Amino acid sequence: MDIRQLTYFHAVAKHKSFTKASTVLHLSQPSLSKMVKSLEDELEMELIDRSSRQIELTEAGEIVFEQSKMILESLDNLSSNLYDLMNLKKGKIKIGIPPLIGFLFFPKIIKKFKASYPEIQIQLVEHGANRVQREVNDGLLDLGVVVMPLNEDKLEIVSFLTEHLMLFVHHSHPLANREKVSMKELEEESFIIFKEGFTLHDRVIEECITAGFHPKISYESSQWDFISGMIGENLGVSIFPESIAKKVDQNLIKAIPIVDPSLPYKLGIIKKKDKYVTYATREFIKMLSPFSE
């Protein structure tokens, strides 16, 4: 058994398809099938049930797949460790961020980091916070930015920013001249919120229910600027982090503090506990500490 056999089998098992795996591996399908078959012959066990249209693993295949994941991850960690020793400040980081958080906070953070470490590559991937958490857990991302609190035993969480959520309304709205507003007062409002899969989607609904009512949701979107535009047309209200107040058209939209209760908005950066942390990743996390002060 060699590492190529495990790599090829892992790709087929992961994608449940020889065709998809061959594309990812840039290998012809016959060559891939031959390599997987040679692994089965060597182990004297069938790893893949080929009788159905979609590939399914046998019991032995499930065991080999789980072990191959650990072996390949260990090899990746070995390469990362050696790379750090040889190159020190060179490296790359793959970070998952929800679009709103990325827009609000990360241009400044990335600029500061690149000024100190110009040779470190940063790849930003925009997803909703729920998917970011899942992909960090699966080892697909080095870091992820999420809204706290977060209960997840397999992840380490570092808090880096705290502010509050505010109500955003059209300037002609009856609440626009208020200095503060309670959640209970929003019972009859039409809400424009993020789509399901975004943390603020669940958070807004939960806060309304806690205040004693189910929100009337008129529109949902994955884009904060679309929501802002809808508020600017007086089509509903929304709840955003206070930093958004500097980004919207203040001639059309008013941001009002929410009290009774106030709604803290805390951001954290997450990483998988058992995943090797590269030099570049450690430095990026360290740079977030002054940002939270």
Side-chain angles (χ1 to χ4, degrees):
M1 183 189 307
D2 63 36
I3 194 63
R4 285 191 308 158
Q5 290 173 312
L6 282 179
T7 301
Y8 295 163
F9 169 74
H10 178 270
V12 173
K14 177 181 177 181
H15 295 285
K16 292 188 178 297
S17 165
F18 279 95
T19 303
K20 290 181 180 178
S22 64
T23 300
V24 170
L25 295 169
H26 304 290
L27 185 72
S28 70
Q29 191 169 330
S31 297
L32 178 59
S33 298
K34 183 178 179 181
M35 187 66 73
V36 173
K37 186 65 170 62
S38 71
L39 177 61
E40 291 179 311
D41 292 342
E42 188 171 332
L43 295 174
E44 298 181 350
M45 288 185 173
E46 287 191 6
L47 304 179
I48 295 174
D49 180 0
R50 298 170 174 82
S51 63
S52 59
R53 293 184 64 183
Q54 183 174 353
I55 283 178
E56 297 292 340
L57 299 181
T58 63
E59 290 182 338
E62 293 285 358
I63 292 173
V64 174
F65 179 54
E66 290 302 318
Q67 293 298 313
S68 68
K69 284 196 291 187
M70 291 189 289
I71 291 169
L72 294 174
E73 186 170 320
S74 294
L75 286 173
D76 284 342
N77 288 345
L78 173 62
S79 297
S80 294
N81 274 285
L82 293 176
Y83 188 88
D84 279 356
L85 286 174
M86 295 173 62
N87 298 279
L88 291 179
K89 292 187 177 182
K90 294 183 179 180
K92 59 182 179 180
I93 317 171
K94 190 173 183 180
I95 307 171
I97 53 174
L100 178 62
I101 295 173
F103 167 76
L104 285 177
F105 307 111
F106 269 71
K108 182 191 298 184
I109 294 172
I110 298 299
K111 180 179 180 180
K112 181 179 179 182
F113 187 80
K114 293 294 287 184
S116 299
Y117 304 103
E119 295 185 76
I120 293 178
Q121 300 176 18
I122 297 179
Q123 181 181 353
L124 298 180
V125 180
E126 285 193 330
H127 293 313
N130 295 340
R131 182 172 173 183
V132 167
Q133 178 183 342
R134 186 167 64 250
E135 293 196 357
V136 171
N137 223 342
D138 291 342
L140 301 176
L141 296 170
D142 298 308
L143 298 172
V145 181
V146 296
V147 179
M148 299 169 63
L150 182 70
N151 295 319
E152 176 53 71
D153 294 338
K154 296 180 181 179
L155 299 175
E156 291 184 18
I157 308 168
V158 179
S159 176
F160 75 93
L161 182 135
T162 299
E163 54 180 41
H164 287 83
L165 296 176
M166 300 180 74
L167 176 70
F168 285 70
V169 302
H170 189 266
H171 72 91
S172 67
H173 192 280
L175 295 174
N177 294 323
R178 294 276 297 277
E179 293 186 2
K180 57 187 178 180
V181 64
S182 69
M183 284 298 298
K184 182 64 178 175
E185 292 178 275
L186 307 180
E187 185 170 359
E188 299 303 320
E189 299 296 336
S190 294
F191 282 84
I192 308 169
I193 65 174
F194 280 98
K195 287 184 176 180
E196 192 171 353
F198 289 78
T199 302
L200 273 180
H201 174 278
D202 298 339
R203 178 76 183 279
V204 170
I205 294 174
E206 288 168 3
E207 294 295 346
C208 290
I209 292 173
T210 299
F213 66 95
H214 286 266
K216 300 173 183 176
I217 299 173
S218 54
Y219 303 97
E220 294 184 3
S221 174
S222 60
Q223 302 296 324
W224 80 267
D225 50 351
F226 176 82
I227 297 175
S228 171
M230 297 290 276
I231 298 170
E233 296 296 332
N234 203 17
L235 294 172
V237 305
S238 193
I239 293 177
F240 279 136
E242 60 188 272
S243 295
I244 282 286
K246 300 175 183 178
K247 306 294 184 180
V248 300
D249 185 343
Q250 296 180 21
N251 292 319
L252 290 177
I253 298 173
K254 176 75 179 296
I256 309 164
I258 298 174
V259 298
D260 192 26
S262 63
L263 308 180
Y265 181 74
K266 298 181 179 181
L267 300 182
I269 194 151
I270 57 174
K271 59 187 180 71
K272 191 175 181 181
K273 283 184 178 178
D274 58 357
K275 183 178 176 63
Y276 170 72
V277 182
T278 65
Y279 173 89
T281 302
R282 292 195 299 269
E283 288 302 302
F284 189 85
I285 295 172
K286 189 185 299 182
M287 184 162 287
L288 290 177
S289 297
F291 186 79
S292 63
E293 294 175 356

